[in-house]
Amino acid sequence: MSIDSHISKRKISELVAALPEIYQPIFGHENEFQDAQRTCRERLEQVVTLYSVLSNQLGRALNVLDLGCAQGYFSLSLAALGANVVGVDYLQENIDVCQALAESTGLSNVRFETQEVSDLISKIQKDQYDLVLGLSVFHHIADRSGHDSVVLLFSKLAECSAVAVVELALAEEPLPWAKSLPKDPHATLEPFSFIRRLRETKTHLSDIERPLFVCSNRMVILRDRVFTFERYTKSPHPLAKDGPMGTRRYFFGNGILIKQFRIDGQLAQHNIEEITSEFDYLSRYSDLLEDTPLPLHFEKDHYHCVLARELVEGELLIERLLSGAPVSPIELISQILDQLCALEHNGLYHTDLRTWNVIVTASGRYSLIDFGAIRTTPRDCAWPSDIFVSFFCFLGEVALKSTASPTPLRTPRIHYAGLPDPFASAIRRMWSSPRSEWSFSSFRDIWLSLLPCLDSTDQLSLTPCEHNGNAIWALEIELFLSHLLTLVRDHNEILAEQQTHLSSLEKTAHRETEAIARSVETFSTHFTESIKDQDLRIRADVHSSIAAVSDSMNLKFSKEMSEIDLAIEKVREENQFSRQQLLERLSEADGSFSARLDQISADTTAMLQREITILNDMIGSVRQSVDVSESRFRGELTKVLGAYAELEAKLINHQKLLSNELSSMRIVALTSARKLQALQLSSSRLRQLIRECEHKQSALAVRLSEMKQELSAELNEAVEEVRDSVSALEDRISQLALPWWKRWRRLK
C-alpha cells in the first residue's frame, strides 16, 4: 500500500512538473505544491455553500460541469462532497493531472475530458447539469471570437442548466482581452434572469479584482434559501419600460414575489430605502390593511437587496385602464380612501399613489401595493410633492380612466375643472377649505356626503358639472401643461430612438471594427505564414538543388579518383614486380658467383663479364619498362585533370543558374513586400475612415447634448411662464374672492 502511494505521489509530481503553469492548488497535495498562482479558497467557499443550498433544495447530489477545470481543484472538491462532476479543459497536461488525482484519491464520481469549452456547450442537453462552473474562462473566447459569441454561449447555458457560477474578467484590466469586454459585466450575463454578484477575488494578472456571479433562469439563489420562479420582469408596470435604470428585477412563482434591487450604482440609496421600508412595513403592519402580504425573507449584501414576500394575486389598475377592462371609479376611490385613512390614523402615508400601485384582486377588491412607498412623512415621491395635490391627480386619472407616462412629469390634473361629479365637487370643497385642515379623513367625509346625491342605478353615471371662469382658466392652464408635456415626451421618445439608433450604430461599428481588425490580423498572419512557407520552400529547393549537384559532382569525382587510384596502383604493382624480379636474379647471380668463385677461379672474370652484360641488358629493359609506365601514368593523370576541369566548368554553370533563380526569387519577394505595403496602406486608410466615423459620432453626440440643453432651457422657460400664470391666477382668484369673503363676513 505504501509502495503504491509512493508511486502515485511520484507520478503526480512528474505530471505537475510537466504543466506549463500551476494555476490552482493541487487537490490533496496543497502542502507539497505551494506555488499555485491562485489560492481559490474564497471562491471554493462560495461554490460549496451554493452546492449545499441547491443540493438541499433538490434533495439529491448534483450533476456538475466544470468548464476550464485547469488542475481540477473545484471539480475534485465537489466530487468529494458527493457531486457527479465532469471537468473539461483544452490542455491535455491539465487533464492528465486531474485524472491522476482522481485515481489517487479514489473518486469514481468524477471524470475529465480534453475538449474546447465552446464545442462542449453546443452539445449540452436540457437538464443535463444542475450546476455549471465557468471561472475566468469566457474572456478567452471573447478575445478569440468576439463578445457576442460569449452571449450566445450563455444563452445556451441559461436554457439547458439550472444554475451557473461564473467569474468574469473586466474591461478595466490592463490585459489583451480587455478590448473585447463590455464596461458592465452584467451585459455579458444578460441571457440570465437572476444575476447575483457573490464577491470579488484577486488574480495573479493585475490588481483589479474579478466579480463572481451566480445566475439562473429558474431559481433565485440566496445565502441559505432558494426560490423557484416561472417568470420575471424588469419593469414593475407597463409604463415603466426598463424600470429605474435597469437596477430592479421582479420574480414570480408559487404565490411568491421576489424583488431584487441592485445597490452598487447611482440609485443605490434610493433602492435601499424603498426595499427596506417595504420590509419594515410588512413586518410591523401586516394586519393594518386587508390583502397585505407577509414577508418571507430579506437579505442585504454589498451588491443587492432581496425581499421575498407573498404575492397579491390580481391585475394592476393601469393594466385594466390600458386594456379597457371595466373599472368602477366610485367603488375604487371609496376603497382606496378607506386604506389611506387607516394609514393616516397610524401616522403613515402612501407617497406613490399611482394607477400602477393599485391592484384589482381576484375577489374584485381594489388594494394598495408598493408598500415600500409607505412613509411617515406626508410628501409625494415626485411632482406634485404635496401628498393631497398628488391625490387629486390620482382622482383625475381614475375619473377619466386614463393614465399618461410619468416621464418627465406627471400629467397635471390638480384642479376639478374638466372632471365629472362627484370628483369635481369633492376636489372643489377641498380647495375651498384651509390647507391646514386637509386630511384623507376629511376628504372621505366629503366624498361620502356626495355619494347619496348621485343618481344610483346598476351603474353610477358620472355627469360633468358646470364651471365658472376661474375653473375654465385653470382647465386651460392644465391643458396647456398637458400639451407641453406631450411635446416633451414626444421629443424624449425621438431622443431615445436616436440614442438607441446611435447605440446600435456604435455597436455595429465596434463589431465591424473588431471583425476588420481580426480579418486584417488573420490576413497578415496568413500572408506572413505564406511568405515564410514560400521562403522555406525556396530555401529547401535551393538546398536540395545544391545538394543534388554536390552529390552528383562528388559521386563523379569519387568515381574518377577511384579510377586514378586504380591506375596508380596498377603502375605501382607493375613497377614493384619488375624490381622484385631484378632483386631475385641479382641474388641468384650473386650466389652463383660466390659458388663458382670458390670452385672455378680461372674463368671468374669471363663469367662475371657475361653476367654484367646480362645485367646491363636487364637494367636497360627495366628502365624502358619504367619509362613506358611513367608515360602511361602521365596520360592517365592528364585525363583525370581534364575531367576535373570539365566538372569545375559544369559547377560554375550550375552556380550561375542558381544565382539566376535566386535573383528571380528576390524579385518575387520584393513584389510580395510591395503588395504587403499596399495592404498596410489600405489598412491605414481604413483606420482613418473609422476615426472619421468616430469624429462624426462625437459631433452627433455634441449636437444631441446641445439639443438637450436647448430643450431643457425651453422647458424651464415654459415652466416659469406657467408658474407666473398660476401666480397671477392665484392673485386674481384672491382679488375676486376677497369682496365675496367680506360680504359673507358682514352678512354673518
Side-chain angles (χ1 to χ4, degrees):
M1 186 69 177
S2 60
I3 295 177
D4 294 340
S5 176
H6 176 69
I7 293 174
S8 177
K9 288 183 179 180
R10 185 173 63 183
K11 178 182 177 182
I12 291 172
S13 299
E14 293 174 353
L15 293 174
V16 171
L19 291 173
E21 64 174 358
I22 304 178
Y23 182 69
Q24 299 173 346
I26 305 302
F27 181 79
H29 302 268
E30 291 85 348
N31 295 329
E32 301 170 29
F33 305 97
Q34 298 183 356
D35 51 351
Q37 294 178 343
R38 299 192 68 178
T39 61
C40 302
R41 180 177 56 83
E42 298 89 350
R43 292 181 296 165
L44 181 62
E45 290 177 356
Q46 296 287 346
V47 171
V48 169
T49 301
L50 286 171
Y51 178 85
S52 300
V53 172
L54 291 174
S55 181
N56 293 334
Q57 175 75 14
L58 299 178
R60 58 174 174 81
L62 303 183
N63 298 319
V64 180
L65 174 63
D66 188 3
L67 299 172
C69 62
Q71 286 83 52
Y73 185 69
F74 291 92
S75 299
L76 295 166
S77 298
L78 292 179
L81 295 176
N84 302 308
V85 185
V86 175
V88 177
D89 200 276
Y90 80 100
L91 195 62
Q92 183 61 45
E93 290 85 348
N94 283 337
I95 298 301
D96 293 340
V97 171
C98 293
Q99 291 174 342
L101 292 173
E103 181 181 353
S104 66
T105 53
L107 294 173
S108 59
N109 54 332
V110 59
R111 61 184 176 88
F112 297 95
E113 300 177 0
T114 305
Q115 196 169 172
E116 286 286 346
V117 170
S118 302
D119 297 337
L120 178 64
I121 292 177
S122 64
K123 303 174 186 176
I124 292 179
Q125 302 297 319
K126 188 174 179 63
D127 297 328
Q128 184 176 357
Y129 298 103
D130 304 307
L131 177 62
V132 177
L133 304 182
L135 307 180
S136 288
V137 174
F138 292 97
H139 57 275
H140 296 295
I141 301 175
D143 185 46
R144 184 174 63 249
S145 305
H147 176 258
D148 292 342
S149 63
V150 176
V151 176
L152 291 176
L153 293 178
F154 278 133
S155 298
K156 184 64 181 293
L157 287 178
E159 176 186 357
C160 296
S161 61
V163 179
V165 177
V166 182
E167 184 183 50
L168 296 179
L170 299 178
E172 294 82 3
E173 295 180 7
L175 297 167
W177 49 73
K179 64 181 184 299
S180 303
L181 304 176
K183 294 182 179 179
D184 186 1
H186 287 81
T188 305
L189 302 173
E190 192 60 31
F192 291 99
S193 306
F194 174 75
I195 305 170
R196 177 185 163 210
R197 182 180 292 201
L198 299 174
R199 63 169 300 141
E200 280 88 12
T201 54
K202 294 182 178 180
T203 71
H204 60 293
L205 298 174
S206 70
D207 295 332
I208 297 176
E209 296 182 339
R210 289 181 179 174
L212 183 69
F213 296 92
V214 57
C215 314
S216 178
N217 270 3
R218 309 177 190 178
M219 303 178 184
V220 174
I221 303 102
L222 305 178
R223 290 196 191 100
D224 54 359
R225 295 286 299 274
V226 175
F227 297 95
T228 59
F229 62 90
E230 287 83 31
R231 63 183 180 91
Y232 96 104
T233 179
K234 297 179 183 178
S235 305
H237 57 85
L239 298 182
K241 295 183 179 179
D242 201 17
M245 298 177 65
T247 61
R248 301 181 180 184
R249 298 198 177 195
Y250 306 85
F251 304 90
F252 304 86
N254 299 325
I256 297 175
L257 168 63
I258 303 104
K259 295 184 177 183
Q260 182 193 29
F261 291 4
R262 285 179 58 182
I263 57 174
D264 58 346
Q266 298 179 0
L267 298 178
Q269 189 61 34
H270 176 67
N271 286 344
I272 291 173
E273 290 178 358
E274 182 165 331
I275 199 167
T276 53
S277 296
E278 180 168 0
F279 177 69
D280 292 341
Y281 172 81
L282 295 178
S283 300
R284 297 175 59 188
Y285 300 100
S286 59
D287 298 332
L288 182 59
L289 301 179
E290 192 174 349
D291 300 320
T292 300
L294 293 176
L296 302 176
H297 184 81
F298 177 80
E299 70 177 47
K300 175 178 174 291
D301 54 31
H302 297 294
Y303 317 106
H304 306 91
C305 279
V306 180
L307 170 64
R309 63 169 176 82
E310 293 178 340
L311 176 65
V312 181
E313 299 287 352
E315 183 181 11
L316 295 179
L317 177 59
I318 180 65
E319 294 174 345
R320 284 212 167 186
L321 294 178
L322 293 177
S323 64
V327 174
S328 174
I330 303 298
E331 184 178 357
L332 189 158
I333 296 301
S334 298
Q335 294 180 10
I336 294 300
L337 271 174
D338 290 340
Q339 298 171 53
L340 293 175
C341 290
L343 292 174
E344 187 179 51
H345 181 71
N346 288 272
L348 301 173
Y349 300 89
H350 199 295
T351 62
D352 192 15
L353 182 56
R354 308 291 190 270
T355 55
W356 49 82
N357 286 331
V358 174
I359 192 169
V360 185
T361 64
S363 61
R365 176 178 171 79
Y366 299 95
S367 297
L368 291 171
I369 55 173
D370 191 8
F371 305 99
I374 298 177
R375 309 292 175 86
T376 57
T377 303
R379 183 177 181 84
D380 195 89
C381 63
W383 182 90
S385 59
D386 188 286
I387 197 76
F388 299 103
V389 177
S390 177
F391 177 65
F392 295 161
C393 291
F394 175 75
L395 290 176
E397 293 172 350
V398 172
L400 300 178
K401 296 183 179 181
S402 65
T403 300
S405 172
T407 306
L409 291 175
R410 192 176 184 184
T411 301
R413 297 190 189 279
I414 60 178
H415 202 269
Y416 57 85
L419 299 181
D421 269 332
F423 298 93
S425 298
I427 296 175
R428 183 171 62 247
R429 290 190 185 183
M430 282 290 286
W431 278 117
S432 300
S433 62
R435 175 62 181 82
S436 58
E437 298 178 2
W438 286 9
S439 67
F440 288 110
S441 297
S442 61
F443 188 87
R444 183 176 61 175
D445 294 339
I446 296 173
W447 178 261
L448 294 177
S449 67
L450 293 172
L451 294 184
C453 301
L454 296 174
D455 182 15
S456 178
T457 57
D458 292 339
Q459 184 176 0
L460 293 174
S461 60
L462 305 179
T463 57
C465 62
E466 296 183 359
H467 306 296
N468 56 23
N470 293 332
I472 295 174
W473 172 245
L475 179 61
E476 290 298 327
I477 292 177
E478 288 187 355
L479 290 175
F480 170 75
L481 292 176
S482 299
H483 178 66
L484 183 62
L485 285 175
T486 301
L487 293 177
V488 172
R489 287 172 185 144
D490 292 341
H491 189 72
N492 286 342
E493 289 180 359
I494 294 173
L495 286 178
E497 291 177 358
Q498 291 178 349
Q499 289 176 351
T500 302
H501 182 62
L502 180 61
S503 177
S504 176
L505 289 177
E506 290 177 350
K507 291 180 180 179
T508 303
H510 181 68
R511 285 196 299 268
E512 290 180 354
T513 303
E514 287 185 348
I516 291 171
R518 286 196 297 269
S519 299
V520 170
E521 184 177 358
T522 303
F523 178 79
S524 177
T525 303
H526 289 172
F527 184 77
T528 304
E529 291 177 353
S530 176
I531 292 295
K532 289 181 179 179
D533 293 340
Q534 188 175 2
D535 182 64
L536 290 175
R537 285 197 301 271
I538 292 172
R539 290 178 181 272
D541 292 341
V542 171
H543 286 308
S544 61
S545 300
I546 293 174
V549 172
S550 178
D551 292 342
S552 176
M553 291 177 61
N554 289 335
L555 182 62
K556 194 167 184 180
F557 182 74
S558 298
K559 186 176 180 181
E560 296 290 339
M561 290 302 296
S562 298
E563 292 178 356
I564 292 172
D565 290 339
L566 290 174
I568 293 173
E569 187 66 27
K570 184 177 180 181
V571 171
R572 286 179 178 175
E573 288 178 356
E574 291 178 354
N575 192 12
Q576 184 68 23
F577 176 76
S578 299
R579 290 181 180 180
Q580 186 68 25
Q581 187 178 11
L582 177 61
L583 290 174
E584 289 178 356
R585 290 187 178 184
L586 286 174
S587 179
E588 291 176 358
D590 185 59
S592 62
F593 177 76
S594 297
R596 293 184 69 179
L597 182 62
D598 293 335
Q599 297 176 3
I600 305 170
S601 59
D603 52 352
T604 301
T605 304
M607 290 178 66
L608 182 60
Q609 288 179 350
R610 286 196 299 270
E611 292 292 335
I612 290 173
T613 302
I614 294 171
L615 182 61
N616 289 330
D617 293 337
M618 291 179 66
I619 290 172
S621 64
V622 168
R623 285 179 178 175
Q624 186 178 1
S625 177
V626 170
D627 291 338
V628 172
S629 298
E630 185 178 0
S631 62
R632 186 184 300 172
F633 173 75
R634 287 179 178 176
E636 294 293 337
L637 183 60
T638 302
K639 290 180 180 179
V640 170
L641 292 175
Y644 181 78
E646 184 179 356
L647 289 174
E648 187 177 8
K650 290 182 179 180
L651 179 61
I652 292 172
N653 291 332
H654 280 293
Q655 288 178 346
K656 290 181 179 179
L657 292 175
L658 290 175
S659 178
N660 294 332
E661 291 181 0
L662 288 174
S663 299
S664 62
M665 284 189 291
R666 289 193 185 96
I667 293 172
V668 172
L670 182 60
T671 305
S672 301
R674 289 176 179 173
K675 290 182 179 179
L676 178 60
Q677 186 177 4
L679 179 62
Q680 292 175 348
L681 181 60
S682 301
S683 177
S684 63
R685 290 177 180 173
L686 181 60
R687 292 192 185 95
Q688 184 177 0
L689 290 175
I690 292 173
R691 285 195 294 270
E692 291 177 358
C693 291
E694 291 176 350
H695 290 322
K696 291 181 180 179
Q697 290 177 358
S698 300
L700 180 59
V702 172
R703 179 55 184 160
L704 288 175
S705 177
E706 292 176 354
M707 291 175 65
K708 287 181 180 178
Q709 293 177 358
E710 293 174 359
L711 179 61
S712 177
E714 293 176 0
L715 181 60
N716 291 334
E717 291 177 359
V719 170
E720 290 296 329
E721 292 178 0
V722 170
R723 287 177 178 172
D724 294 341
S725 300
V726 171
S727 178
L729 177 61
E730 290 176 349
D731 294 340
R732 179 59 179 167
I733 291 173
S734 299
Q735 293 174 3
L736 293 174
L738 185 60
W740 291 98
W741 172 258
K742 291 180 179 179
R743 290 180 185 178
W744 181 79
R745 293 287 295 178
R746 291 195 198 98
L747 292 174
K748 187 175 180 180

